[in-house]
Amino acid sequence: MSGILEGKRVLITGVLMESSIAFHTAKLAQEQGAEIILTAFPRPTLTERIAKKLPKPTKVIELDVTNDEHLGRLADIVGEELGGLDGVVHSIGFAPQDALGGNFLNTPFESVSTAMHVSAFSLKSLTMACLPLMQNGGSVVGLTFDAQYAWPQYDWMGPAKAALEATSRYMARDLGKQNIRCNLISAGPIGSMAAKSIPGFAELASVWDNRAPLEWDLKDPEPAGRGVVALLSDWFPKTTGEIVHVDGGLHAVGA
């Protein structure tokens, strides 16, 4: 029986550690029949080492999503490797340390601007860089952390994720005519490299211990990876502009 991504070609960003959602997305995508290509920044060699743990070998491309030169050459490099694309996974987020950890009211705009550029605007710039390769439509899937709420310690990454969520909706509106779907997975907290960069992450994550209807495991990124793969597949052919929660159900309950 073939996998749900059989014959699909997918670009995946953000594979930094074996514990990351992006790594498990890449692993599951290959297991479900996809050809994949990875991007990495600022340390492609780190991603190349991690990629060796995937079921099949895959190429790693250096890509800084804030660098127009990198974005401008992306389609040529990926096209030469895969011929085209059916899916793009945006698993990129960054905020300077002074934009996190309880410093919300004192963060300078320069740091806020960086967080917005890398974490939200890059969804649009990455997708547009890949657009020439998506002649037959496709699926763009990003990762968010529920921006309905103000989370402890998360600070300016919260507004950045809100901007990401709005960006995905506008992209769904404007790319629908090209049969390109744009959706997000809103995942619960995972003990990834991104999480370790957030001061006081344990306080944020502890909310899940008390409120999530389904038991949540910080060490298990696979459920979120499965959500990404499902949205990349043809099983959601008319779903776009959506945010699918893979968070143990916490978003649905109060205190």
Side-chain angles (χ1 to χ4, degrees):
M1 184 176 178
S2 61
I4 62 172
L5 295 185
E6 194 68 39
K8 301 289 188 188
R9 300 155 298 177
V10 182
L11 179 144
I12 301 173
T13 66
V15 174
L16 295 174
M17 299 173 67
E18 200 171 350
S19 60
S20 69
I21 294 171
F23 174 85
H24 283 263
T25 297
K27 177 175 178 288
L28 289 163
Q30 285 188 334
E31 290 173 351
Q32 291 299 316
E35 288 185 83
I36 68 169
I37 194 164
L38 306 179
T39 75
F41 189 80
R43 293 172 61 193
T45 53
L46 174 61
T47 298
E48 286 168 355
R49 286 200 300 272
I50 298 298
K52 290 176 181 176
K53 300 182 180 182
L54 291 170
K56 299 175 185 176
T58 184
K59 186 179 181 66
V60 177
I61 303 169
E62 182 179 24
L63 176 66
D64 175 0
V65 289
T66 68
N67 185 314
D68 289 340
E69 184 180 334
H70 283 201
L71 291 165
R73 69 190 186 211
L74 182 64
D76 288 340
I77 298 172
V78 176
E80 188 175 325
E81 188 74 15
L82 298 181
L85 281 175
D86 304 289
V88 175
V89 177
H90 180 279
S91 181
I92 301 169
F94 172 77
Q97 284 296 297
D98 61 357
L100 299 164
N103 196 47
F104 186 86
L105 297 179
N106 300 308
T107 304
F109 177 72
E110 290 77 14
S111 296
V112 174
S113 175
T114 297
M116 292 289 179
H117 193 173
V118 178
S119 308
F121 184 78
S122 65
L123 179 65
K124 192 277 296 186
S125 52
L126 174 65
T127 302
M128 294 306 291
C130 293
L131 198 59
L133 300 172
M134 302 178 78
Q135 296 299 312
N136 298 316
S139 175
V140 177
V141 185
L143 287 159
T144 188
F145 190 73
D146 203 332
Q148 296 179 86
Y149 307 106
W151 297 102
Q153 312 300 329
Y154 206 50
D155 291 354
W156 281 100
M157 275 303 294
K161 289 297 188 184
L164 175 73
E165 293 176 8
T167 300
S168 181
R169 287 190 287 270
Y170 277 91
M171 284 173 49
R173 181 195 70 179
D174 290 350
L175 294 177
K177 58 183 174 291
Q178 294 169 250
N179 197 32
I180 294 173
R181 297 171 283 123
C182 300
N183 296 289
L184 299 176
I185 291 290
S186 181
I190 297 295
S192 63
M193 184 176 286
K196 290 175 182 177
S197 70
I198 302 171
F201 174 76
E203 180 188 350
L204 188 159
S206 68
V207 175
W208 267 256
D209 294 334
N210 303 315
R211 285 179 48 201
L214 297 175
E215 184 179 358
W216 187 254
D217 184 354
L218 287 172
K219 301 184 188 69
D220 186 10
E222 186 169 317
R226 283 176 177 259
V228 175
V229 168
L231 287 173
L232 288 170
S233 79
D234 293 331
W235 284 95
F236 287 86
K238 298 299 178 185
T239 298
T240 195
E242 185 60 90
I243 300 175
V244 177
H245 289 81
V246 183
D247 67 347
L250 186 134
H251 72 282
V253 300

